Amino acid sequence: FTKSELEKFVFLHTDGHEQYLSAYNAILSNQELQFLDHEKHRFTTNEMIIVESNIVVMAERANAAKLSESSFAERMAITKIEKSKTFNEEQKAAFRVLTNSSKVAIVNGAAGTGESYVLAAVNEAYKESGHHVIGAAIQGVTAQSMERDSGIESKTVASLLARLRWEQENNVSPDQQTLKPNTILVLDEAGMIGSQDMHDILKFSEMRGSKLRMVGDSFQL
């Protein structure tokens, strides 16, 4: 957050000049606060630096391991579906990224570039080769759109994480868990997902051995 955003927040939550100065100075002197950018006067917290650093570590660790070869059935299904679709070059590239053998894959593209068409093809290819494909998005309406347009069973990120945490707390058996080694989790509008939620999604994905596919537009946020 910026210095001006901090000033506005404190102003709206204090009563009078004296209380404003007291609260503002207390925040600025707090050891949890980190000054990021002197030119733009941007701040963050120690906690958020740790969370986002861990996100990077988990994503790199997921893809640092030697990638296992996709099964013959999976490669055949992916090739079959790709040949059956009328992709343009960008859509074909996106499809290949989302169906590669890496644990974490990301596609960044603007709205209106045929994302739903590509995701429907990804869903077909993975289902045909025996995978379970599920989706999640911040907004319920986005999750509904993904399910309607691409056929991927979808829910909100909040709902997904609540389920995953419940499974962990109640020691749900691996065969009954939402995420399994054969699960493909597709996150739509991934750039909108908060850092703590993204951290937890990566953590559960790593624990359960599932693959994570993120799609979105970096200009959304």
Side-chain angles (χ1 to χ4, degrees):
F1 51 93
T2 65
K3 188 176 181 181
S4 61
E5 287 169 338
L6 174 60
E7 290 168 349
K8 182 179 179 181
F9 180 86
V10 176
F11 178 79
L12 291 172
H13 292 82
T14 53
D15 183 17
H17 184 66
E18 187 176 332
Q19 192 182 75
Y20 169 86
L21 285 178
S22 176
Y24 184 72
N25 289 329
I27 293 171
L28 287 182
S29 62
N30 192 299
Q31 292 185 347
E32 281 298 304
L33 200 67
Q34 287 287 337
F35 202 23
L36 282 181
D37 188 333
H38 287 270
E39 187 176 328
K40 296 181 179 179
H41 296 286
R42 294 189 304 165
F43 299 87
T44 190
T45 63
N46 293 333
E47 180 185 9
M48 194 55 61
I49 288 175
I50 292 170
V51 166
E52 295 190 347
S53 296
N54 286 340
I55 287 173
V56 175
V57 168
M58 284 189 288
E60 290 182 339
R61 184 165 61 216
N63 287 349
K66 188 178 185 302
L67 298 177
S68 59
E69 283 287 326
S70 300
S71 68
F72 178 75
E74 187 175 320
R75 293 198 306 273
M76 289 295 291
I78 290 168
T79 301
K80 173 189 168 185
I81 297 301
E82 183 179 336
K83 287 182 177 179
S84 72
K85 302 298 179 182
T86 53
F87 289 139
N88 60 34
E89 287 305 310
E90 287 186 348
Q91 289 171 334
K92 185 184 293 184
F95 177 81
R96 289 178 176 176
V97 168
L98 294 172
T99 55
N100 68 26
S101 58
S102 62
K103 284 288 188 181
V104 179
I106 302 171
V107 168
N108 177 43
T113 54
E115 174 197 298
S116 296
Y117 184 65
V118 173
L119 287 182
V122 169
N123 187 36
E124 283 183 61
Y126 276 126
K127 280 186 173 178
E128 192 162 318
S129 57
H131 289 81
H132 180 219
V133 186
I134 59 174
I138 283 290
Q139 302 178 83
V141 66
T142 306
Q144 290 171 357
S145 296
M146 178 160 55
E147 187 162 325
R148 182 188 66 240
D149 299 336
S150 64
I152 298 173
E153 175 192 341
S154 303
K155 57 181 67 179
T156 63
V157 168
S159 175
L160 172 68
L161 285 172
R163 174 67 190 183
L164 294 174
R165 289 166 184 146
W166 181 86
E167 290 173 355
Q168 185 178 39
E169 290 167 4
N170 291 275
N171 296 315
V172 173
S173 61
D175 61 314
Q176 296 296 316
Q177 291 173 352
T178 302
L179 298 182
K180 306 180 186 71
N182 74 328
T183 303
I184 311 295
L185 173 57
V186 180
L187 299 179
D188 198 5
E189 296 188 345
M192 306 282 283
I193 298 173
S195 297
Q196 186 62 62
D197 284 348
M198 183 63 78
H199 174 278
D200 291 348
I201 288 169
L202 278 161
K203 180 187 71 176
F204 281 113
S205 183
E206 182 177 69
M207 287 167 52
R208 309 282 170 79
S210 56
K211 287 185 176 180
L212 189 58
R213 299 295 181 255
M214 293 186 256
V215 295
D217 177 3
S218 60
F219 289 102
Q220 279 184 309
L221 189 59

